[in-house]
Amino acid sequence: MMYIDNILFAIILIAGIGFFVQNVKKLKRNINLGHDVNRTDNPSARWKNMAMIALGQSKMVKRPVAGFLHIIVYAGFIIINLEVLEIIIDGLFGTHRIFSFLGGFYSFLIGSFEILAVLVLVSVIVFWIRRNIIRLKRFASSDLKGAPKKDADTILYFEMVLMSLFLIMNATDLHFQAMNSGNVISQYLNPLFSSLDLVQVEIIERTAWWFHIIGILLFLNYLYYSKHLHILLAFPNTYFADLNPKGQFDNLESVTKEVKLMMDPNADPFAAQPVDENAGPHKFGASDVQDLNWVQLLNAYTCTECGRCTSSCPANQTGKKLSPRKIMMDTRDRLEEVGRNIDANKGVFVPDNKSLLNDYITPEELWACTSCNACVEECPVNISPLSIIMDMRRYLVMEQSAAPQSLNAMMTNIENNGAPWQYNQQDRLNWKNE
């Protein structure tokens, strides 16, 4: 009977980690639905990117209040969870505060954890007030209604509960309180339980201990379904970000080959070109998530839904339908839908007569973009909504000839006159005589 707690703990731990591993496999599969793109160049710049932006939060602090509070929550939540290692060892082997043999260093660690727990609680409450009472504009827009808003609040409640359980666990641990070292915050909570007998206090301590570790495992597995997946994905996302100057767009390989063939005087345009028999029909641009590259799909899963991109978008500020945040959220939603389709059909995607274009993102949204890169500049984890917008525009133009009339007229003029204006080529220099 004495090992029942340890066995139960092991079962819960294995189940929690096992479910998380399954979700990671599903996440990796969904991201790999995108076509390949090489992002292994210049590793030194990529490591610097990751260190400065993902670890150092350098873009977060551009908005000082939110940035400072986010750093507290980020640092506190990560550092405090180092204590989870002790809980796991205690839970598996029936020990109690196994690391307490570290003496003064242990006291320093736990004391730091308690201070950080309070700071995290305060920061999370401020975040909740900003979202639900002050209702900042970027948190109150239409693309955050329903499930996204509930998700953001759920995360805040999770963090409040986990930090509170940690402090209650310490405050009711009589052995820890008797040490009188490291209990810098919990010593002031301990008197709240002084009217209870020892058995009741022990029950509260054990309950808080169990709920704390179960809550952490639940939170770990909730990440896949929430915007907080960026806790894990911000690091690869910043590492594999596009290092090219903003505004430099990639050329379609198939079009580049055609142009080089046209410009090569020694090339035989009628010569047979090598064909990959296993490749499907080539598509210009993107109409669905499978047409995007894997980095763009990684971007979609990494999106924090903070709305900095949308609040800086000039098209959105003037009342246009475009919201870069919605572009990323829609891409993730469609990718999840495709993933569920694959799961339901034993690993094979069955066409569902739906696509990212039209069913999730409208042409009106795409053409509202000014391609100014404000959204890319503002994103705290180097996401590029613009790259998805441009790929979908390519599809509209090159596959469906569905550009706005003004753009079609410009492209016709370039084709016929070699310039965007409707002038005969012989008249293009007439302006110099005026």
Side-chain angles (χ1 to χ4, degrees):
M1 294 291 290
M2 63 182 293
Y3 296 112
I4 289 179
D5 284 355
N6 308 103
I7 294 171
L8 179 60
F9 182 89
I11 291 171
I12 293 173
L13 183 65
I14 292 169
I17 294 176
F19 191 64
F20 174 71
V21 170
Q22 288 299 316
N23 281 336
V24 169
K25 289 180 179 178
K26 189 184 298 183
L27 176 69
K28 185 177 179 181
R29 179 206 64 193
N30 289 354
I31 291 174
N32 285 333
L33 292 174
H35 63 78
D36 192 31
V37 61
N38 183 14
R39 290 290 172 83
T40 58
D41 60 307
N42 203 346
S44 59
R46 295 188 178 281
W47 282 110
K48 181 180 178 182
N49 238 10
M50 187 173 72
M52 293 291 294
I53 298 172
L55 187 63
Q57 308 277 295
S58 61
K59 296 183 76 172
M60 280 296 303
V61 294
K62 288 185 176 180
R63 302 191 183 193
V65 174
F68 177 69
L69 294 175
H70 186 274
I71 287 174
I72 290 175
V73 174
Y74 168 77
F77 202 76
I78 296 299
I79 294 172
I80 290 170
N81 281 334
L82 292 174
E83 168 249 1
V84 173
L85 179 61
E86 182 179 56
I87 291 180
I88 291 174
I89 295 174
D90 287 346
L92 290 175
F93 299 102
T95 54
H96 184 72
R97 295 196 178 263
I98 188 66
F99 293 148
S100 59
F101 73 88
L102 295 172
F105 182 63
Y106 181 77
S107 300
F108 169 76
L109 285 177
I110 297 297
S112 302
F113 295 167
E114 289 196 354
I115 293 171
L116 279 171
V118 173
L119 291 175
V120 169
L121 266 173
V122 171
S123 300
V124 167
I125 290 170
V126 172
F127 282 143
W128 186 88
I129 291 171
R130 281 159 57 89
R131 282 181 175 273
N132 296 282
I133 296 179
I134 299 176
R135 291 178 62 81
L136 295 181
K137 184 178 179 182
R138 63 190 172 102
F139 297 135
S141 58
S142 59
D143 54 349
L144 273 191
K145 289 182 179 178
K149 183 183 186 306
K150 290 178 182 177
D151 173 51
D153 286 338
T154 299
I155 291 292
L156 296 178
Y157 297 142
F158 247 121
E159 292 172 345
M160 289 180 195
V161 170
L162 289 176
M163 295 302 105
S164 299
L165 286 171
F166 171 71
L167 292 172
I168 291 171
M169 178 182 74
N170 282 359
T172 53
D173 186 342
L174 299 182
H175 170 71
F176 173 67
Q177 291 299 320
M179 292 167 54
N180 195 29
S181 180
N183 57 338
V184 292
I185 302 295
S186 59
Q187 63 178 316
Y188 300 108
L189 299 178
N190 178 259
L192 298 175
F193 307 95
S194 59
S195 61
L196 303 176
D197 60 44
L198 295 180
V199 174
Q200 290 174 321
V201 172
E202 184 179 350
I203 290 173
I204 293 173
E205 188 271 335
R206 285 291 86 191
T207 302
W209 186 92
W210 276 99
F211 279 11
H212 184 64
I213 187 62
I214 291 173
I216 288 171
L217 291 173
L218 287 173
F219 182 80
L220 180 68
N221 283 286
Y222 181 67
L223 288 181
Y224 175 81
Y225 306 96
S226 80
K227 75 189 188 73
H228 260 54
L229 197 54
H230 73 271
I231 291 175
L232 304 177
L233 296 186
F235 294 91
N237 196 78
T238 49
Y239 182 86
F240 293 115
D242 190 358
L243 297 181
N244 290 320
K246 293 180 179 65
Q248 179 178 326
F249 295 112
D250 62 312
N251 296 315
L252 292 177
E253 186 179 355
S254 55
V255 175
T256 302
K257 286 181 179 178
E258 289 292 327
V259 172
K260 286 182 177 178
L261 186 64
M262 292 168 58
M263 300 298 290
D264 185 356
N266 300 316
D268 181 1
F270 302 104
Q273 300 296 319
V275 177
D276 183 359
E277 295 181 357
N278 297 320
H282 185 79
K283 182 187 287 187
F284 296 114
S287 63
D288 211 347
V289 289
Q290 297 95 325
D291 306 321
L292 299 171
N293 66 56
W294 66 267
V295 176
Q296 291 169 319
L297 301 185
L298 175 63
N299 282 181
Y301 274 120
T302 310
C303 179
T304 70
E305 299 177 15
C306 64
R308 293 187 179 203
C309 52
T310 295
S311 67
S312 301
C313 174
N316 185 272
Q317 290 174 7
T318 56
K320 302 291 193 303
K321 284 189 66 176
L322 174 64
S323 166
R325 173 173 58 190
K326 179 179 175 296
I327 296 293
M328 303 314 302
M329 293 168 65
D330 286 344
T331 302
R332 173 174 175 163
D333 289 346
R334 173 56 180 163
L335 185 53
E336 278 292 289
E337 184 177 50
V338 169
R340 289 192 296 270
N341 182 310
I342 293 173
D343 290 336
N345 293 286
K346 299 179 180 178
V348 178
F349 177 71
V350 175
D352 56 1
N353 297 317
K354 295 176 72 175
S355 66
L356 181 61
L357 179 63
N358 295 319
D359 290 301
Y360 285 85
I361 300 171
T362 64
E364 181 183 353
E365 294 171 76
L366 298 174
W367 291 116
C369 177
T370 65
S371 63
C372 67
N373 270 294
C375 56
V376 183
E377 179 65 32
E378 283 295 314
C379 180
V381 287
N382 275 22
I383 290 169
S384 176
L386 181 60
S387 68
I388 295 177
I389 292 171
M390 297 307 296
D391 279 350
M392 295 181 77
R393 276 186 179 180
R394 274 175 171 165
Y395 177 82
L396 288 170
V397 173
M398 301 182 74
E399 293 275 349
Q400 295 191 331
S401 299
Q405 184 178 356
S406 56
L407 287 180
N408 277 331
M410 180 198 71
M411 288 185 284
T412 300
N413 289 334
I414 290 175
E415 183 178 358
N416 295 334
N417 307 321
W421 305 281
Q422 199 170 0
Y423 297 134
N424 187 291
Q425 290 201 27
Q426 285 84 354
D427 297 331
R428 284 174 58 187
L429 280 178
N430 287 352
W431 61 269
K432 69 179 177 57
N433 298 322
E434 297 178 6

